Amino acid sequence: MKAGSLFLWAMLGVSSAASAQSADVTIPDAIAFGASVDSMTERLAGLCSEAELRTIDPPVLPDVQNIQQQIDCQGFDYMGEPRLAEFVFRDDALQMVWILVDADDQERIVAAMREAYGEDGLTTSDVVAFREHRTAWRFEPPEVLFFSEELRPAMERFLTAPTE
């Protein structure tokens, strides 16, 4: 899939209003871990006001054999607001999604996560992690993370890193 084709549906005026405003903090339905770039492009049609596919070189994900790519989706609805969501692929399989939020969202989103997941989460200086749910709040920059089961071993190390 070429980056230009990602822009095609955005240029045709597909509205991001297709995603209903909600306060659901759990993993959005659009996310399908393991899905290909082409499949996720189709799933995101109408959910991004603008989208760009780019290659991350050098890769930062562990165990990349061929290529790391990322779809930057502007206007993705999360917790009732349009956000930048970064869909990160390792070798054409979706592995993680970062949703950028505002620092002043922290109290509301972390409280919603604790309620949804029924636990306080593991708190370090970097994150509040809900490891069984493969999600976390990151303090700096303020982001919500969702990751695949396949990426769990690497993310466990990141999420439980000792505070400095």
Side-chain angles (χ1 to χ4, degrees):
M1 167 77 46
K2 295 197 183 299
S5 60
L6 284 171
F7 287 109
L8 179 59
W9 46 263
M11 298 295 276
L12 293 174
V14 175
S15 170
S16 64
S19 175
Q21 295 284 318
S22 76
D24 187 3
V25 73
T26 61
I27 188 168
D29 291 339
I31 296 173
F33 290 114
S36 69
V37 170
D38 286 345
S39 175
M40 281 307 302
T41 298
E42 290 176 21
R43 291 178 74 94
L44 293 172
L47 301 179
C48 307
S49 58
E50 193 176 309
E52 177 183 4
L53 175 64
R54 59 192 179 103
T55 298
I56 309 299
D57 191 18
V60 294
L61 286 178
D63 303 321
V64 173
Q65 299 300 308
N66 297 308
I67 191 170
Q68 180 178 328
Q69 293 173 292
Q70 179 171 309
I71 297 174
D72 293 333
C73 171
Q74 297 284 347
F76 187 81
D77 180 49
Y78 182 72
M79 289 295 290
E81 295 181 35
R83 315 283 187 167
L84 169 60
E86 301 170 338
F87 293 79
V88 184
F89 299 82
R90 174 176 63 193
D91 299 322
D92 200 31
L94 182 64
Q95 296 297 316
M96 76 169 39
V97 178
W98 292 101
I99 301 176
L100 285 69
V101 295
D102 299 318
D104 63 2
D105 288 325
Q106 178 181 334
E107 186 176 317
R108 175 174 73 101
I109 291 176
V110 172
M113 291 172 123
R114 287 179 170 143
E115 184 173 331
Y117 302 132
E119 62 174 291
D120 285 340
L122 170 71
T123 301
T124 71
S125 62
D126 297 319
V127 298
V128 178
F130 300 88
R131 296 173 1 218
E132 290 302 311
H133 302 280
R134 298 188 334 265
T135 189
W137 165 275
R138 182 157 84 171
F139 294 106
E140 191 56 43
E143 300 176 300
V144 174
L145 166 67
F146 299 103
F147 58 93
S148 69
E149 181 63 38
E150 188 178 336
L151 204 57
R152 183 187 292 271
M155 293 310 299
E156 285 287 327
R157 290 187 295 276
F158 167 73
L159 296 173
T160 59
T163 58
E164 294 181 27

